């Protein structure tokens, strides 16, 4: 058992055997309520280099002495900014405290625009986190066939999937993804933060019900809400 709090967009705090924060985009996030200084965590998982995912990673990692898990190229950058960093890469796992963090594929881009030029953010990624419960945070991604393998191999009980469309899967793709991943609970993310990714999550619920006959449950969270998973 664990507690899961949605902080808005793709930012979640999982409190299982350890406290694990995902993609902490809080400052400048129009829907987020929590302040970076209020967050207490042991680790931060960053899926890719875009600013709506890196967010407040460095300040939160530093003030909590938390370790950041990210793809190699991003990890070097976090280290250079003074954060404790565990660079890793797709397919690999790291045992961290009482949890296990595995990096999996995501189909997206990851370059960072800063000082008027593009810097590499390495490959985009998703995470499988085992910390009392197994959670799949898909990051920003389109649908890819190995989502079925991720479901079969890691057997996540919770899947956090982007549904915002345009930059990631939309509702139809994400519903299909949910049906092949086959987690007990699916939680939509990366929608309605900005007008360009406005979505009605109840349509996601309806699509999944059609595809799985009610076998896969969708939990629509409110920003700031905490649930047991
Ligand atoms: Ni992105
Ligand atoms: Mn994004």
């Amino acid at each position: 058992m664990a507690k899961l709090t949605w902080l808005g967009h793709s930012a979640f705090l999982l409190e299982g055997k350890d406290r694990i924060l995902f993609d902490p985009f809080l400052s400048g996030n129009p829907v987020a309520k929590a302040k970076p200084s209020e967050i207490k965590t042991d680790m931060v998982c960053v899926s890719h280099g875009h600013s709506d995912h890196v967010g407040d990673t460095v300040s939160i990692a530093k003030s909590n002495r938390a370790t950041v898990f990210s793809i190699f190229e991003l990890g070097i950058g976090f280290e250079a900014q003074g954060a404790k960093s565990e660079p890793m890469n797709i397919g690999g796992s790291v045992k961290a405290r009482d949890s296990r963090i595995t990096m999996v594929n995501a189909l997206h881009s990851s370059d960072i625009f800063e000082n008027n030029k593009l810097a590499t953010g390495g490959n985009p990624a998703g995470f499988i986190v085992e910390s009392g419960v197994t959670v799949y945070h898909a990051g920003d991604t389109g649908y890819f066939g190995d989502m079925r393998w991720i479901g079969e191999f890691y057997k996540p009980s919770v899947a956090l999937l982007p549904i915002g469309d345009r930059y990631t899967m939309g509702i139809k793709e994400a519903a299909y993804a949910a049906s092949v991943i086959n987690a007990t609970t699916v939680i939509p993310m990366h929608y309605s933060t900005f007008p360009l990714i406005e979505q009605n999550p109840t349509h996601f619920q309806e699509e999944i019900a059609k595809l799985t006959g009610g076998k896969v449950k969708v939990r629509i969270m409110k920003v700031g809400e905490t649930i047991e998973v």
Side-chain angles (χ1 to χ4, degrees), residues 15 27 33 43 53 74 102 129 134 139 143 164 181-182 186 196 198 202 214 218:
E15 295 169 275
S27 304
K33 296 180 176 108
M43 310 172 203
H53 298 263
L74 273 185
T102 302
V129 165
T134 302
Y143 176 76
I181 295 161
N182 206 20
V186 174
L196 283 174
E198 197 70 46
T202 59
V218 177

Side-chain angles (χ1 to χ4, degrees), residues 9 48 52-53 140 190:
H9 205 54
H48 65 292
D52 59 320
H53 298 263
D140 275 3
H190 208 271

Side-chain angles (χ1 to χ4, degrees), residues 9-10 23 25 47-48 50-53 108 139-141 162 167-168 190 194 197:
H9 205 54
S10 300
D23 286 357
F25 169 45
S47 66
H48 65 292
H50 293 156
S51 56
D52 59 320
H53 298 263
H108 192 63
D140 275 3
T141 188
Y167 305 112
T168 67
H190 208 271
F194 314 107
I197 55 171

Side-chain angles (χ1 to χ4, degrees), residues 140-210:
D140 275 3
T141 188
Y143 176 76
F144 55 94
D146 273 351
M147 282 182 176
R148 184 181 294 277
W149 175 80
I150 287 171
E152 280 170 10
F153 193 77
Y154 296 107
K155 298 181 174 53
S157 55
V158 181
L160 312 174
L161 301 179
I163 67 162
D165 218 340
R166 181 177 280 252
Y167 305 112
T168 67
M169 298 186 284
I171 280 174
K172 289 220 178 233
E173 293 81 3
Y176 185 81
S179 75
V180 305
I181 295 161
N182 206 20
T184 321
T185 305
V186 174
I187 297 167
M189 64 176 180
H190 208 271
Y191 69 95
S192 300
T193 319
F194 314 107
L196 283 174
I197 55 171
E198 197 70 46
Q199 294 290 345
N200 181 344
T202 59
H203 294 160
F204 180 54
Q205 220 160 18
E206 287 158 16
E207 279 297 320
I208 291 189
K210 266 194 266 172

Side-chain angles (χ1 to χ4, degrees), residues 5-9 11 26 29-34 191-193 220-226:
T5 304
W6 190 30
L7 301 166
H9 205 54
L26 304 177
N29 177 339
V31 300
K33 296 180 176 108
Y191 69 95
S192 300
T193 319
I220 298 169
M221 293 184 73
K222 292 194 176 75
V223 176
E225 188 183 1
T226 301

